[in-house]
């Protein structure tokens, strides 16, 4: 039974119960505790619950909570005033019945009216504050859920664009090998199938471990090595402690692909790629250094770089950063910094 009671009724019972306790306490303290006093206190509590519940019904029916503050203040004042007049009139009438001694009805009503106005005002203030806090919390939760939904949709959109973009570039690489060396082309198709299998698994999560991401990168580099042969040299500088750290899926592969496409492929003698992963200043730092130079656009606004910035922003906010720049006259460096999770 008690489990079915709402928060409102629990507050009513506990609040008016505390009110009755104060009456009994002062009745005992001043030596006036008796059957007539008990009946009067019970009348106060029962009438208080009935009046406040009726007041709440009006608040809910006419949606006072949604009113502007100026209008609500006026309704609040007159609502408490009417409830206090009615409650104090009924209590005074019952007090006259329960008390054998003759008392002035008006004098008792004024004292009761002042007392009930204070308590009913307190009840109304608590009720409205409770609802405003609840509305504010629900609004914040709704905004957070909306932001999470938007973020998830944006991440899915970016990943759905990344996969076709990557597959298109990989197929172009294989196409170049079909006539030149069919055996190598078959090997390349096997590498591509491994990459696609890994990318399909990675697509199910917002982040993957660096170890899983590196497996895709190594398959991709094996595919590109078939095309570039000795013109492509790859080196890894990976701290083993960073292998389990989370990274956005296909982010590293996208940056490596960008390094080959815009850097090494434009060099007649090819070039060198260094992929590093370290923990520095309580952040996970990933670097990709490649032979080449950024000439036209130092900010790097291609699709792959933009997708990297967007995903880092959606996943980590301002705690993550991405930049790409000319490290020296012969080398470009892309650096990603992410918070440790």
């Amino acid at each position: 039974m008690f489990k079915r009671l709402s928060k409102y009724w629990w507050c009513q019972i506990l609040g008016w119960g505390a009110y009755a306790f104060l009456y009994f306490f002062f009745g005992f303290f001043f030596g006036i505790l008796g059957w007539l006093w008990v009946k009067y206190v019970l009348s106060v509590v029962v009438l208080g619950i009935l009046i406040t519940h009726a007041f709440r019904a009006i608040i809910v029916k006419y949606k006072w909570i949604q009113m502007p503050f100026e209008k609500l203040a006026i309704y609040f004042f007159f609502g408490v005033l009417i409830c206090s007049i009615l409650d104090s009139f009924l209590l005074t009438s019952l007090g006259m019945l329960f008390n054998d001694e003759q008392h002035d009805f008006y004098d008792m009503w004024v004292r009761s009216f002042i007392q009930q106005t204070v308590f009913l005002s307190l009840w109304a203030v608590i009720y409205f504050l409770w609802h405003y806090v609840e509305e504010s919390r629900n609004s914040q939760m709704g905004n957070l859920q909306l932001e999470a939904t938007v973020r998830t949709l944006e991440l899915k959109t970016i990943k759905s664009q990344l996969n076709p973009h990557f597959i298109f570039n990989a197929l172009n690489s294989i196409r170049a090998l079909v006539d030149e060396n069919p055996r190598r082309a078959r090997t390349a198709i096997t590498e591509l199938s491994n990459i696609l299998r890994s990318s399909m698994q990675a697509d199910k999560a917002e982040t993957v471990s660096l170890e899983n991401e590196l497996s895709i990168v190594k398959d991709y580099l094996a595919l590109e090595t078939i095309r570039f042969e000795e013109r492509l040299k790859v080196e890894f500088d990976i701290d083993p402690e960073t292998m389990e750290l989370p990274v956005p899926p296909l982010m590293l592969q996208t940056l490596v692909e960008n390094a080959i496409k815009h850097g090494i492929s434009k060099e007649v003698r090819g070039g060198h790629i260094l992929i590093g992963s370290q923990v520095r200043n309580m952040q996970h730092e990933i670097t990709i250094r490649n032979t080449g130079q950024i000439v036209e656009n130092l900010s790097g606004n291609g699709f792959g770089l933009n997708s990297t910035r967007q995903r880092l922003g959606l996943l980590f906010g301002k705690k993550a950063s991405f930049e790409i720049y000319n490290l020296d006259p012969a080398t470009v460096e892309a650096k990603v910094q992410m918070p440790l999770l």
Side-chain angles (χ1 to χ4, degrees):
M1 175 182 177
F2 289 105
K3 292 182 179 180
R4 298 179 181 178
L5 290 176
S6 64
K7 292 180 181 179
Y8 163 75
W9 279 112
W10 273 114
C11 291
Q12 283 282 73
I13 293 171
L14 294 175
W16 287 104
Y19 186 66
F21 174 79
L22 289 175
Y23 260 100
F24 285 127
F25 175 78
F26 284 110
F28 176 80
F29 185 77
F30 289 106
I32 57 175
L33 188 61
W35 176 239
L36 292 177
W37 182 255
V38 171
K39 288 198 295 184
Y40 178 72
V41 172
L42 291 177
S43 300
V44 170
V45 172
V46 171
L47 278 175
I49 292 176
L50 291 176
I51 296 260
T52 53
H53 187 62
F55 190 22
R56 173 183 178 268
I58 295 173
I59 293 171
V60 172
K61 182 178 180 179
Y62 295 102
K63 300 178 180 179
W64 286 19
I65 300 294
Q66 301 175 9
M67 291 181 179
F69 179 78
E70 295 79 6
K71 188 176 181 180
L72 175 61
I74 297 173
Y75 278 68
F76 174 89
F77 173 78
F78 284 105
V80 171
L81 181 63
I82 293 171
C83 288
S84 299
I85 292 172
L86 178 61
D87 193 19
S88 59
F89 177 81
L90 293 174
L91 283 177
T92 303
S93 300
L94 290 173
M96 296 289 288
L97 292 175
F98 293 150
N99 202 327
D100 295 334
E101 299 179 7
Q102 295 295 322
H103 293 279
D104 182 65
F105 183 89
Y106 178 76
D107 182 58
M108 288 182 63
W109 176 80
V110 169
R111 284 184 293 171
S112 179
F113 171 75
I114 295 172
Q115 184 178 5
Q116 295 310 112
T117 299
V118 172
F119 280 104
L120 290 176
S121 297
L122 181 62
W123 180 93
V125 168
I126 294 173
Y127 181 83
F128 282 110
L129 284 178
W130 173 277
H131 277 275
Y132 273 118
V133 170
E134 284 286 305
E135 288 289 329
S136 176
R137 187 177 67 177
N138 291 337
S139 177
Q140 290 178 354
M141 288 295 295
N143 290 335
L144 290 174
Q145 290 174 352
L146 179 61
E147 290 177 6
T149 302
V150 171
R151 189 187 73 171
T152 301
L153 290 174
E154 289 179 350
L155 285 170
K156 287 183 177 179
T157 300
I158 294 171
K159 284 192 283 187
S160 67
Q161 293 171 337
L162 276 173
N163 286 335
H165 183 266
F166 158 68
I167 294 170
F168 175 77
N169 288 337
L171 289 175
N172 273 341
S173 299
I174 295 173
R175 184 181 63 180
L177 295 171
V178 170
D179 295 330
E180 179 183 339
N181 194 328
R183 180 176 296 179
R184 288 186 177 181
R186 286 195 295 270
T187 304
I189 292 172
T190 302
E191 296 291 346
L192 177 59
S193 68
N194 291 335
I195 296 171
L196 292 178
R197 187 183 302 111
S198 300
S199 65
M200 287 174 65
Q201 294 173 352
D203 194 48
K204 298 177 182 178
E206 289 186 355
T207 60
V208 296
S209 67
L210 177 64
E211 184 177 9
N212 289 340
E213 180 73 0
L214 279 173
S215 68
I216 298 178
V217 170
K218 289 176 180 178
D219 286 335
Y220 173 75
L221 288 171
L223 176 64
E224 290 297 284
T225 301
I226 294 175
R227 181 160 66 103
F228 285 93
E229 298 180 336
E230 68 277 359
R231 293 176 59 222
L232 176 60
K233 294 178 175 61
V234 181
E235 184 180 353
F236 292 92
D237 180 21
I238 308 296
D239 184 345
E241 294 184 357
T242 66
M243 293 294 280
E244 296 301 320
L245 293 179
V247 296
L250 298 179
M251 181 193 72
L252 185 56
Q253 185 275 330
T254 301
L255 295 177
V256 172
E257 180 184 333
N258 182 77
I260 293 175
K261 180 180 178 181
H262 298 287
I264 293 172
S265 64
K266 295 182 178 180
E267 299 291 329
V268 176
R269 295 183 179 180
H272 177 266
I273 292 181
L274 172 62
I275 301 171
S277 174
Q278 308 290 331
V279 174
R280 289 191 175 91
N281 299 322
M282 298 302 294
Q283 282 198 313
H284 183 196
E285 183 177 286
I286 295 177
T287 55
I288 296 93
R289 294 179 184 176
N290 64 274
T291 303
Q293 284 287 279
I294 301 175
V295 179
E296 296 179 357
N297 188 0
L298 288 175
S299 62
N301 287 321
F303 169 75
L305 302 183
N306 273 334
S307 70
T308 299
R309 291 191 181 93
Q310 290 171 4
R311 286 196 290 166
L312 288 172
L314 289 170
L315 289 171
F316 306 111
K318 295 182 179 179
K319 295 180 181 179
S321 64
F322 169 68
E323 52 185 339
I324 183 169
Y325 47 84
N326 291 323
L327 184 64
D328 56 47
T331 309
V332 174
E333 181 175 82
K335 180 187 293 184
V336 177
Q337 290 181 313
M338 296 169 288
L340 295 177
L341 299 179

